[in-house]
Amino acid sequence: MRFTLNGAAVSLDVVGSRRLLDVLREDLGKTGTKEGCGEGECGACSVLIDGEVVDSCLVAVGQVEGRNVITVEGLAGPRGELSLLQQAFIEHGAAQCGICTPGMLLAAHVLLKKEQRPDADDVREALAGNLCRCTGYTKIIEAVLSCGT
Amino acid sequence: MVTTSTIGRSVPRREGAAKVTGAALYTDDLVVADAWYGQTVRSTIPRGRIRSITLDPEFDWERVVVVTADDIPGENVVHLIRDDQPVLARVGGEIRHREEPILLLAAPDRNTLEEAVRHVRIDYDPAEPVYALEEATEVYSTINIRKGKDFEDVEGVELVVERSFRVGLQEQLYIEPQGAIAIPWRERGAGSREPGVTIIGSLQCPYYVHRALKRALKLTDEQAVVVQAETGGGFGGKEEYPSMVAIHAALLARKAGRPVRLIYDRHEDLAATTKRHPGVIRHRTGVKKDGTLLSQDIEIVLDGGGYCTLTPVVLSRAAIHATGPYSCPNVRIHARAVATNTPPNGAFRGFGAPQSLFAAELMVEHVAERLGMSSVDLRRKWMLRLGDTTATGQTLTESVGAELVLDAALKAASAVGRSGGRAVKRGRGLSLVFHGSGFTGSGEKKLQGTLAMEALADGTFRILTASTEIGQGTKTIFCQLAADALGVGLDKVDLAPQDTSLVPDSGPTVASRTAMIVGRLVQEAATEIKDRLQRERAPIKVQKSYVQPDSIHWDETTYTGDAYPIYAWACTIADVDVDMTTGEVRVTDLVTAVDCGKALHPVMAEGQIEGGTLQAVGWATIEEIKMKDGGYQNDRLATYLIPTALDAPRIKTILVENPYSRGPFGAKGIGELPMDGPAPAIIAAIHDATGVWLDEIPATPERVLAACASR
Amino acid sequence: MRDVTYLRPGNVRDAVQLYRTTPGCRPLAGGTDLMVMLHAGTLRPAPRAVLDLWSLPELKGVRRANDVLEIGAAEPYTGIIGSRDAQESVPALVAAARTIGAAQIQNRGTLGGNLANASPAGDTLPVLLAYDAVVVTDRRSIPIDEFFVGYRKTALADDELITAVRLPLGRDVVFRKVGTRAAQAISKVVLAVSREPARIAIGSVAEIPLRARRAEVALERNDIAGAVAAVADDIRPIDDVRSTAAYRRQVTQNVLRELLDAFARG
């Protein structure tokens, strides 16, 4: 099967019913995508498929045939320069233990693509599928709001 | 070169870039060649004895590795306070709780592992389990605190108020589940393997794991190596439990002769690992009609679960904080922790204090209501001030912030908005709490946490500490403190890995002690290095250990004296909406003023407070664990619910700086404090909204609606 | 789950053919339930193949035709929420879709999946009952009223696939879900109510999502108090990990009263 991962073509021989999460982590070495629950509750395994945020633990890898997948490793620029959102996460203290951060960034990334100037309620709604236990979400919301243009 | 100090400035987190790019490597992200997968087989009964373990002959056991209690080279005990918890229950041995580890399996792939698990049969002789605190007869520990007279002997009491409170279980819910990788050797230089065991894991306290590993596997100090991987949250949950995971992984690796990954999934983590102690707290308070506080009589019973773990220390902190931050001439506190047949309870941010402060703060409300006084005025009358003594007889000689935080919170809270609709009622509640920073009593003295620092030949400096980064900012703050004392830029300072073969035992990363106690050692080490560099050339290595100031006295036998080096203080004001149709409680806004001594890194200090606050909001409102036959029904993330971004209140944090003379730049530990205040403030706010007093948390819609209906 | 074969048909006809001929085959759409169960190994009998319906164009889209709104069985909730036709003609369904999970789940969850899974707590199911929706399959149309036949059991034949759901236009339905938290929550109680015709549909109070027939009879007589009283006899709530029977009973009545009062006030 083939799909695009962070802009690069990927060709794999895998059983299509395996979880996208496992294929990303174990076969493709993209360990930025985390497993927090394995049942679509925590959002730590969030990735983008064709620009929409999904839990990769709920996606059979066969379902991304021909599609465009973005993981946290795909957010920085070609030379590793951090995106504005990634910089904002550091600056505002939005990442503490960091385990929810990859998924949180991807959910926020989609919001900012769709809504150039979200308000706090928009941010809360967009991030409601990503659990964080360190921050109380306050600094994450601040970081995302600071990226509104 | 002139370097500006970064103390008090929110510099970027040291490992921030790695965390936002996905480059940070947590335990399960590590690729270890030839590693097998491990699994723990656990008891399915809450109490009884193991009659037999049968390995189904239909299965080819050559394909896997099986470890039982007979394979433990050292002592079959998870080293902690008491030696009661076995590494693995043995045939004929006692089972004291559901999910108790009995047997370990490792296999080259997960399918084989799952298949093997299905072919293990364990037969039991069940016994009658004990769940109710009232019926529990086995006691883990008791604490009695006595100040002044017995309750009945106090003169002048004009009103006695009695009330009983109950608090529930809570899961830490770090988003990264427990896990360890064990390698049955240690590396000495490139490719050279020596006898021993290396553990890489998600953990708070490398030396806890080190000690436990040595004892169970009969290893020397050198042979046991424990390395912390990037750790996805702890909150106490990775204080003692990782010792169990590490020993299990090590036993499997040793028998398999190859590395073994033992990574829990969320279900296993929720079902088997430690929780916050539930308990019952009974108060009797004697006052004069004008509100003067004369006497407090408090009984605390905590549920320790099936094994002792850290329960006596949790109980101690619960007892010492049980009066609330108030000055009372006559105090009796009777605290005990009992054994039941549930999975063991253990360390969790706050460590007993949230439980007893919940009751203490609601008692203020009940007394105020009976006196017809404002509870804020009553708090002002009662609150500890400079020169007052606590329940243990500790005289507070500095940095007493009760009034400062009360004033700051009241000033910052906006006017209460009125209710949004017919069915929704608004309310506001307040709480005032204190929390001892650092270990209790002589803990720090006994531990003598040690830290080393090196000046390297290339002009850089390296901090060697076992204090771990678990999201709270250890790495960043230690580098700030060192760079400041050395007078160099932050880029010149780094931390050695948290690896017991490299760093000394700085003590566990717990008890709000890291910035204050170990941070002070960073300062001292850096100051000495700077001084020696005037006369000597790098490389230089210095080592510093905690020295208890002569002014601190603690008597463990009478439970009197200086229980903590210093206290941090907080006032919380919570606004809630209560939906009278459904009983749903929504905490909309929360103001919290915290006396942190000095904010070394304001953004991280706020981050600790906001995170702890929401964790407490969850404990107070929606985080419920229902028991069934000694197990948790809420054993998946679909049933154990923590607040989402849509549930989190708007949190306004005010940092009050009220320096402590022995803390680095005056800093006090505040990691646990934010867990204490929100629950009583929320319950008081629910009362303000509905007129109903709840005595039990979580304040689930079921409880709120039932209370409103019976009114 | 590594032994589970992945089948990807190109159209509905092939899908039905594969479904019929592959032993132990389970249809897969957004995977929000099935992938969890596959991974945890909780499905009995253990499936041997999954039939991926997610990308079939015939199962996608929200279409308005004459007097019905037709929603493809594999159209994700996000598509329903974003559809102007759905917002205009079935706002209660849009409201229900917005309460399901959060963005990640709304991007993958489908009406077809919610129906086939037939959980008594399925958030859209009471809404579909209140709209008198019709479940369209590869071979017939099933009135929603006849669809749920037991705990997680449906009227579908062993080889029958849901292709679409049809809803009437212009019906005024209100919806309320009571969960433990504001997002990512399975309901304690979920209600959908239509005043005309009288429909009171409730989830999480019995082994299936049900119509409260006695309460509906009272409502037809404009007897709101009677409906609120009668609904207690229509439901069969239990104590479980999410709530208690007593709470569910009380809140069903409270919420029904609130919704009917809101209708009365216009």
Side-chain angles (χ1 to χ4, degrees):
Chain A
M1 64 164 299
R2 293 164 195 278
F3 62 99
T4 306
L5 177 60
N6 299 329
V10 170
S11 174
L12 278 173
D13 184 15
V14 291
V15 177
S17 63
R18 282 179 63 200
R19 303 187 302 176
L20 174 60
L21 169 66
D22 296 329
V23 173
L24 288 171
R25 288 179 55 82
E26 293 169 11
D27 298 34
L28 298 167
K30 298 297 183 203
T31 55
T33 306
K34 309 298 181 189
E35 175 162 6
C37 68
E39 52 182 11
E41 293 289 339
C42 76
C45 68
S46 295
V47 301
L48 308 187
I49 300 178
D50 293 346
E52 299 285 359
V53 65
V54 304
D55 292 321
S56 62
C57 72
L58 301 180
V59 177
V61 68
Q63 298 185 305
V64 300
E65 170 81 50
R67 298 188 185 266
N68 186 9
V69 178
I70 305 280
T71 66
V72 69
E73 289 90 347
L75 287 180
R79 286 181 306 280
E81 61 275 24
L82 299 183
S83 72
L84 280 179
L85 185 62
Q86 287 172 313
Q87 289 174 35
F89 262 55
I90 297 176
E91 195 179 314
H92 289 266
Q96 287 191 28
C97 86
I99 195 85
C100 76
T101 306
M104 204 63 89
L105 283 164
L106 289 161
H109 177 86
V110 173
L111 170 70
L112 290 167
K113 286 267 177 204
K114 292 183 176 173
E115 197 84 52
Q116 292 197 331
R117 205 166 186 173
D119 63 22
D121 289 340
D122 296 331
V123 177
R124 286 173 185 271
E125 191 171 340
L127 302 183
N130 295 81
L131 298 179
C132 169
R133 194 60 152 172
C134 292
T135 63
Y137 304 102
T138 311
K139 304 254 180 274
I140 295 173
I141 296 166
E142 282 172 17
V144 178
L145 287 175
S146 79
C147 294
T149 48
Chain B
M1 186 179 83
V2 179
T3 311
T4 320
S5 170
T6 64
I7 299 300
R9 280 175 43 207
S10 298
V11 301
R13 172 179 286 276
R14 295 296 282 201
E15 75 290 3
K19 283 177 172 171
V20 300
T21 56
L25 295 175
Y26 300 77
T27 303
D28 197 29
D29 301 337
L30 297 167
V31 178
V32 178
D34 301 323
W36 280 17
Y37 297 91
Q39 176 78 45
T40 312
V41 179
R42 300 170 178 281
S43 70
T44 52
I45 63 161
R47 189 177 187 193
R49 289 193 181 274
I50 303 174
R51 197 189 311 147
S52 61
I53 299 173
T54 314
L55 302 181
D56 184 351
E58 295 292 299
F59 183 79
D60 175 11
W61 294 97
E62 296 296 314
R63 295 158 63 199
V64 301
V65 158
V66 182
V67 165
T68 66
D70 296 333
D71 295 299
I72 300 167
E75 294 171 78
N76 186 3
V77 63
V78 182
H79 175 85
L80 210 58
I81 292 175
R82 262 199 204 183
D83 287 345
D84 64 339
Q85 189 170 22
V87 170
L88 293 169
R90 64 173 69 244
V91 174
E94 194 184 7
I95 293 292
R96 289 173 62 95
H97 65 88
R98 244 171 213 280
E99 310 295 342
E100 185 161 350
I102 295 173
L103 179 135
L104 305 166
L105 292 168
D109 63 86
R110 294 196 185 94
N111 276 354
T112 308
L113 190 60
E114 282 166 25
E115 213 185 320
V117 171
R118 284 198 299 274
H119 288 88
V120 176
R121 209 180 94 186
I122 300 169
D123 289 299
Y124 306 92
D125 293 316
E128 193 57 37
V130 175
Y131 303 131
L133 291 184
E134 298 73 19
E135 290 163 21
T137 51
E138 186 184 338
V139 175
Y140 287 129
S141 71
T142 56
I143 288 165
N144 288 301
I145 295 175
R146 302 163 61 87
K147 178 186 180 187
K149 296 177 179 169
D150 282 343
F151 195 87
E152 282 73 17
D153 299 338
V154 177
E155 289 166 11
V157 171
E158 292 166 344
L159 172 71
V160 173
V161 181
E162 291 190 52
R163 198 93 182 180
S164 184
F165 306 90
R166 196 172 267 270
V167 294
L169 286 160
Q170 186 185 23
E171 161 61 32
Q172 296 87 359
L173 214 88
Y174 32 75
I175 304 294
E176 179 208 21
Q178 304 268 357
I181 301 171
I183 303 165
W185 58 76
R186 66 202 163 96
E187 304 273 351
R188 299 288 286 180
S192 140
R193 293 174 180 179
E194 293 194 11
V197 171
T198 304
I199 293 289
I200 307 168
S202 180
L203 48 94
Q204 290 177 226
C205 311
Y207 274 94
Y208 275 17
V209 178
H210 190 251
R211 277 190 283 277
L213 206 58
K214 280 191 304 179
R215 230 177 130 188
L217 278 95
K218 219 172 167 180
L219 301 171
T220 64
D221 273 343
E222 238 191 354
Q223 286 169 337
V225 178
V226 178
V227 185
Q228 185 212 14
E230 198 72 67
T231 294
F235 316 109
K238 291 172 186 168
E239 176 172 352
E240 78 274 31
Y241 201 85
S243 297
M244 176 81 87
V245 186
I247 295 171
H248 287 169
L251 290 169
L252 283 169
R254 191 178 150 273
K255 192 156 180 188
R258 59 174 69 238
V260 170
R261 313 171 69 89
L262 187 59
I263 314 286
Y264 286 12
D265 67 14
R266 180 62 63 186
H267 167 66
E268 181 174 21
D269 195 300
L270 280 167
T273 73
T274 53
K275 307 280 178 284
R276 180 184 303 288
H277 290 73
V280 175
I281 301 110
R282 295 186 196 90
H283 272 251
R284 227 173 8 150
T285 304
V287 291
K288 285 204 226 175
K289 286 270 165 59
D290 68 358
T292 303
L293 178 60
L294 292 177
S295 190
Q296 289 174 295
D297 187 84
I298 304 163
E299 186 192 7
I300 301 169
V301 186
L302 292 185
D303 182 349
Y307 290 104
C308 180
T309 72
L310 292 163
T311 292
V313 200
V314 172
L315 186 73
S316 160
R317 202 173 266 271
I320 293 168
H321 290 80
T323 58
Y326 304 112
S327 177
C328 182
N330 304 292
V331 178
R332 289 290 180 274
I333 299 166
H334 318 274
R336 70 177 189 279
V338 298
T340 60
N341 295 109
T342 69
N345 299 310
F348 191 159
R349 186 185 222 160
F351 215 69
Q355 290 93 316
S356 64
L357 283 165
F358 170 72
E361 275 305 278
L362 286 178
M363 258 333 261
V364 184
E365 298 291 334
H366 288 291
V367 173
E369 188 175 60
R370 290 281 297 278
L371 290 168
M373 275 178 81
S374 127
S375 65
V376 172
D377 292 344
L378 196 61
R379 284 185 175 89
R380 283 196 196 280
K381 204 172 172 77
W382 289 8
M383 66 171 63
L384 286 162
R385 294 166 197 272
L386 213 59
D388 284 345
T389 57
T390 67
T392 61
Q394 175 172 9
T395 304
L396 302 177
T397 56
E398 64 166 322
S399 195
V400 179
E403 189 155 32
L404 289 175
V405 296
L406 180 66
D407 288 340
L410 287 170
K411 193 175 156 207
S414 53
V416 192
R418 271 302 140 192
S419 62
R422 266 179 343 127
V424 177
K425 293 192 175 178
R426 300 221 82 194
R428 170 171 286 184
L430 176 146
S431 71
L432 182 67
V433 297
F434 68 154
H435 198 102
S437 304
F439 274 152
T440 306
S442 311
E444 294 293 349
K445 190 176 172 183
K446 284 185 200 152
L447 180 81
Q448 293 206 8
T450 302
L451 174 135
M453 197 181 296
E454 293 171 332
L456 302 173
D458 64 359
T460 64
F461 302 87
R462 202 158 81 127
I463 304 165
L464 296 103
T465 176
S467 294
T468 52
E469 172 65 57
I470 50 174
Q472 84 287 40
T474 301
K475 284 185 180 172
T476 308
I477 283 167
F478 279 11
C479 288
Q480 283 179 281
L481 287 169
D484 173 87
L486 289 160
V488 301
L490 271 180
D491 57 332
K492 298 288 182 219
V493 186
D494 208 351
L495 260 73
Q498 277 56 58
D499 173 336
T500 56
S501 69
L502 301 174
V503 300
D505 184 359
S506 321
T509 303
V510 302
S512 311
R513 64 181 290 277
T514 300
M516 186 177 97
I517 303 281
V518 190
R520 172 84 184 209
L521 298 178
V522 173
Q523 257 189 326
E524 288 173 5
T527 305
E528 185 178 324
I529 283 199
K530 191 184 181 190
D531 186 46
R532 281 176 57 182
L533 279 174
Q534 310 272 335
R535 308 180 299 275
E536 297 169 49
R537 301 182 124 210
I540 299 173
K541 184 172 180 179
V542 304
Q543 190 151 311
K544 288 282 168 192
S545 293
Y546 177 81
V547 180
Q548 180 102 306
D550 294 338
S551 56
I552 297 184
H553 300 284
W554 174 252
D555 186 338
E556 186 79 28
T557 52
T558 58
Y559 246 72
T560 54
D562 302 318
Y564 297 97
I566 200 74
Y567 295 84
W569 311 76
C571 179
T572 300
I573 298 175
D575 290 350
V576 304
D577 280 347
V578 182
D579 187 319
M580 302 305 283
T581 304
T582 61
E584 291 166 292
V585 174
R586 183 164 157 58
V587 184
T588 59
D589 291 271
L590 201 143
V591 173
T592 183
V594 173
D595 167 12
C596 60
K598 162 80 186 173
L600 300 172
H601 187 299
V603 162
M604 284 185 181
E606 287 168 9
Q608 280 294 295
I609 294 163
E610 290 155 0
T613 296
L614 187 62
Q615 207 163 31
V617 169
W619 182 50
T621 56
I622 64 171
E623 291 181 36
E624 183 178 31
I625 296 183
K626 292 184 181 177
M627 304 296 301
K628 190 180 182 191
D629 302 329
Y632 310 131
Q633 284 188 278
N634 312 64
D635 58 0
R636 297 165 51 203
L637 267 200
T639 49
Y640 188 80
L641 303 189
I642 66 167
T644 71
L646 277 174
D647 300 284
R650 288 177 289 265
I651 301 172
K652 190 193 279 183
T653 307
I654 300 131
L655 298 174
V656 176
E657 299 199 322
N658 178 29
Y660 160 48
S661 62
R662 310 191 65 85
F665 293 93
K668 302 191 278 194
I670 54 153
E672 297 171 283
L673 175 67
M675 191 72 221
D676 296 335
I682 288 164
I683 298 305
I686 293 171
H687 172 261
D688 186 41
T690 64
V692 164
W693 281 117
L694 295 179
D695 296 321
E696 184 172 4
I697 48 173
T700 59
E702 286 80 1
R703 286 200 178 113
V704 172
L705 207 62
C708 290
S710 68
R711 186 159 169 261
Chain C
M1 71 179 283
R2 275 154 289 270
D3 305 329
V4 176
T5 308
Y6 172 78
L7 302 170
R8 185 166 177 169
N11 56 51
V12 171
R13 212 182 52 187
D14 290 354
V16 173
Q17 182 62 24
L18 277 169
Y19 195 19
R20 184 169 301 153
T21 55
T22 312
C25 180
R26 294 282 293 231
L28 170 69
T32 57
D33 285 305
L34 187 65
M35 288 299 286
V36 176
M37 295 187 275
L38 267 185
H39 183 70
T42 51
L43 284 172
R44 291 292 175 271
R48 286 151 66 182
V50 292
L51 183 66
D52 185 8
L53 309 173
W54 176 252
S55 302
L56 294 180
E58 298 156 86
L59 304 186
K60 295 285 185 189
V62 180
R63 297 168 290 273
R64 195 166 163 167
N66 300 324
D67 53 351
V68 297
L69 188 78
E70 186 170 288
I71 300 173
E75 178 67 27
Y77 294 124
T78 303
I80 299 170
I81 294 165
S83 154
R84 180 153 300 183
D85 282 334
Q87 290 163 11
E88 279 169 9
S89 40
V90 289
L93 182 64
V94 172
R98 290 184 66 125
T99 69
I100 295 173
Q104 288 87 338
I105 301 300
Q106 288 165 17
N107 284 333
R108 298 286 295 180
T110 64
L111 285 185
N114 217 205
L115 282 163
N117 205 32
S119 161
D123 286 321
T124 67
L125 305 180
V127 181
L128 298 181
L129 282 163
Y131 277 115
D132 288 308
V134 172
V135 181
V136 183
T137 75
D138 59 272
R139 66 200 65 167
R140 60 178 171 151
S141 294
I142 309 172
I144 186 87
D145 239 5
E146 296 163 19
F147 189 77
F148 306 107
V149 298
Y151 178 67
R152 287 181 177 266
K153 284 199 165 52
T154 69
L156 292 171
D158 285 345
D159 58 351
E160 190 171 12
L161 290 172
I162 304 168
T163 58
V165 176
R166 287 192 189 129
L167 299 127
L169 303 182
R171 186 177 294 189
D172 197 2
V173 174
V174 290
F175 163 84
R176 176 142 188 209
K177 168 177 170 176
V178 181
T180 298
R181 63 183 172 194
Q184 295 278 92
I186 295 170
S187 61
K188 292 173 189 278
V189 175
V190 50
L191 278 91
V193 175
S194 154
R195 188 69 186 76
E196 186 59 48
R199 294 286 180 272
I200 297 171
I202 316 171
S204 293
V205 293
E207 68 288 354
I208 55 168
L210 56 72
R211 291 254 310 268
R213 306 279 176 178
R214 294 178 183 85
E216 287 180 0
V217 169
L219 184 58
E220 272 163 12
R221 298 191 309 260
N222 286 320
D223 179 4
I224 290 181
V228 170
V231 77
D233 293 328
D234 284 317
I235 61 178
R236 302 178 286 278
I238 56 165
D239 288 348
D240 66 11
V241 67
R242 284 184 192 90
S243 193
T244 62
Y247 178 83
R248 288 179 158 124
R249 202 171 284 283
Q250 183 66 56
V251 167
T252 298
Q253 293 187 300
N254 289 0
V255 171
L256 180 59
R257 185 182 301 112
E258 185 181 272
L259 294 177
L260 293 177
D261 284 350
F263 269 120
R265 285 197 309 276

